[in-house]
Amino acid sequence: GRTTLMVRTALQGTATRTSAQLAEDLESVGGAFGHAVGGDTFGWSVSAPSTVLPAALAILADVVQAPAFDAAMLETERRVALAALAQLRDDMHRQPLRLAQHRAFGEHPYARPSLGTEAGLAAVDPAALRRWHERLVREGDGVIVVVADMAPDEVAALVRGAFRSLAWHAAA
């Protein structure tokens, strides 16, 4: 649940942009945000025309590198996650799969839904999100993927410039 809250709350504002500004800035270049959280992965995405890649990367980099983790926005995202958990419990198709997953994996993290648990979601505060973000994003082994009609060296330079505050590791 902590990762779900981290990913979703990061889209609600950064050190330099409010949620509305993020949406407006990305919309102004014809782009749209996406996000995903799974058992082994999480991420943010931007879909935009290649012609505005530098601007779209700058906006995404702001979300990835400098999320505000505002307490009010966290509470909003927590309510959304709790409602999704309640909906999952009421779903006669997904709930049996959730129970089977729990039975199969016991205490392993795979036993929990990526949404987390009520107790786990309740325990998260902005400081916990900042620590989790530091560990998973700023110091983690992330992957940045760009699909664009551009020269690979040009794209690599744009990515290095936009995401300069992340810890970079050489590819194995």
Side-chain angles (χ1 to χ4, degrees), residues 67-82:
F69 297 128
D70 176 77
M73 292 298 173
L74 171 58
E75 286 309 313
T76 298
E77 293 303 333
R78 186 187 330 268
R79 284 193 300 274
V80 170
L82 288 168

Side-chain angles (χ1 to χ4, degrees), residues 59-72:
I59 297 164
L60 179 61
D62 197 20
V63 168
V64 172
Q65 297 174 113
F69 297 128
D70 176 77

Side-chain angles (χ1 to χ4, degrees), residues 47-124:
S47 178
S50 295
T51 54
V52 297
L53 182 61
L57 280 177
I59 297 164
L60 179 61
D62 197 20
V63 168
V64 172
Q65 297 174 113
F69 297 128
D70 176 77
M73 292 298 173
L74 171 58
E75 286 309 313
T76 298
E77 293 303 333
R78 186 187 330 268
R79 284 193 300 274
V80 170
L82 288 168
L85 273 177
Q87 193 174 34
L88 176 63
R89 273 194 312 275
D90 292 342
D91 187 315
M92 63 187 238
H93 298 289
R94 293 189 305 161
Q95 179 64 0
L97 293 174
R98 180 181 176 212
L99 293 172
Q101 188 174 1
H102 180 73
R103 181 76 173 170
F105 291 105
E107 294 302 313
H108 190 278
Y110 284 166
R112 296 186 295 270
S114 58
L115 279 171
T117 63
E118 287 84 354
L121 291 168
V124 175

